[in-house]
Amino acid sequence: KGWKRGEGTVSTITVTDNDRLVHGVQWTGLFANCVKDGSFLWQNLGDGLRFRASSPSAHGSLLYTTSDDSFYITDESTGKVAVRKPLAMKMEVPSTPLVTGSEIIFGTGDQGLVALDSKTLDRKWQFKTGTSLVFTTPYTHQPFATVATSPVLAGENVYFGASDGCIYGVDRTTGKKVFCYDTGAPVFSSPAISTGTMVICDFGGNVYMFN
């Protein structure tokens, strides 16, 4: 009851190392509650964070997320924005950033998958997918290339599904394509990878398993 519910949201809840539930509502803001008793801890209704569908990625005391046209690093204990990096891209997608040792990788609403250098936050590479078959990001249209899923790291490759109907694998450091499977339907499901196997679903109701 500590914060007002409003619009629906497709983002999921992130649990931090300090027992905080961090989540949000599209068109409203970013919020934190205590994981043990649900009590309200903080909210951020400004800084551009209200135009956000992505779930934060928690690493230590920091939260990594995207919103509006920017990438954010936020203090996990207070919700205050430490870094805002404008990207001139549409970021209202439910893609949780993947943080590796040297990259921060996430989907965009119009320009495919993007990697920032984790130290400088400069753009390291960009992988442009095909045109979306279905447009789910606010105010997107042809020829926008949307990646609404969260990238997953397996070895040195990053795997993800795209709205153009393809499941991709790209090299983590270069963004070069190493794998592509065309399902023929938009892919809004993030891949699940375990013991050398990847499972992912498409919008046509099909489930795929890859070695």
Side-chain angles (χ1 to χ4, degrees):
K1 299 179 180 179
W3 51 275
K4 182 180 179 182
R5 270 76 61 206
E7 310 296 333
T9 182
V10 294
S11 63
T12 54
I13 296 172
T14 299
V15 181
T16 73
D17 292 338
N18 295 316
D19 290 334
R20 291 183 176 88
L21 297 171
V22 183
H23 47 112
V25 177
Q26 175 70 310
W27 313 124
T28 305
L30 192 65
F31 305 91
N33 292 72
C34 177
V35 71
K36 296 180 179 179
D37 60 18
S39 59
F40 171 73
L41 297 176
W42 56 255
Q43 65 182 12
N44 188 327
L45 307 182
D47 300 315
L49 285 171
R50 65 186 299 265
F51 304 110
R52 183 196 47 74
S54 71
S55 305
S57 179
H59 293 268
S61 62
L62 300 176
L63 300 171
Y64 300 82
T65 191
T66 59
S67 180
D68 195 13
D69 63 352
S70 301
F71 168 77
Y72 293 81
I73 300 177
T74 305
D75 189 319
E76 174 262 353
S77 63
T78 64
K80 293 182 178 179
V81 173
V83 177
R84 179 177 182 175
K85 172 77 173 182
L87 297 173
M89 303 176 186
K90 297 188 70 64
M91 303 305 305
E92 296 173 64
V93 288
S95 179
T96 299
L98 168 66
V99 181
T100 72
S102 53
E103 299 89 19
I104 302 170
I105 305 170
F106 47 84
T108 71
D110 59 346
Q111 298 188 42
L113 195 74
V114 171
L116 304 181
D117 184 283
S118 60
K119 293 182 179 179
T120 66
L121 297 186
D122 292 332
R123 191 183 306 187
K124 188 171 184 179
W125 53 258
Q126 176 181 354
F127 181 83
K128 189 77 172 287
T129 62
T131 300
S132 301
L133 300 175
V134 175
F135 296 96
T136 55
T137 303
Y139 315 115
T140 55
H141 50 76
Q142 291 202 32
F144 285 177
T146 301
V147 174
T149 65
S150 302
V152 175
L153 181 67
E156 291 299 306
N157 295 330
V158 175
Y159 295 91
F160 63 98
S163 296
D164 65 355
C166 292
I167 301 164
Y168 291 100
V170 299
D171 183 272
R172 173 181 66 84
T173 59
T174 66
K176 184 178 179 180
K177 182 172 66 177
V178 297
F179 170 82
C180 179
Y181 183 89
D182 190 350
T183 71
V187 181
F188 301 132
S189 164
S190 300
I193 297 177
S194 178
T195 60
T197 301
M198 177 172 68
V199 179
I200 192 169
C201 309
D202 69 17
F203 195 54
N206 302 297
V207 181
Y208 301 87
M209 181 179 290
F210 300 92
N211 290 324

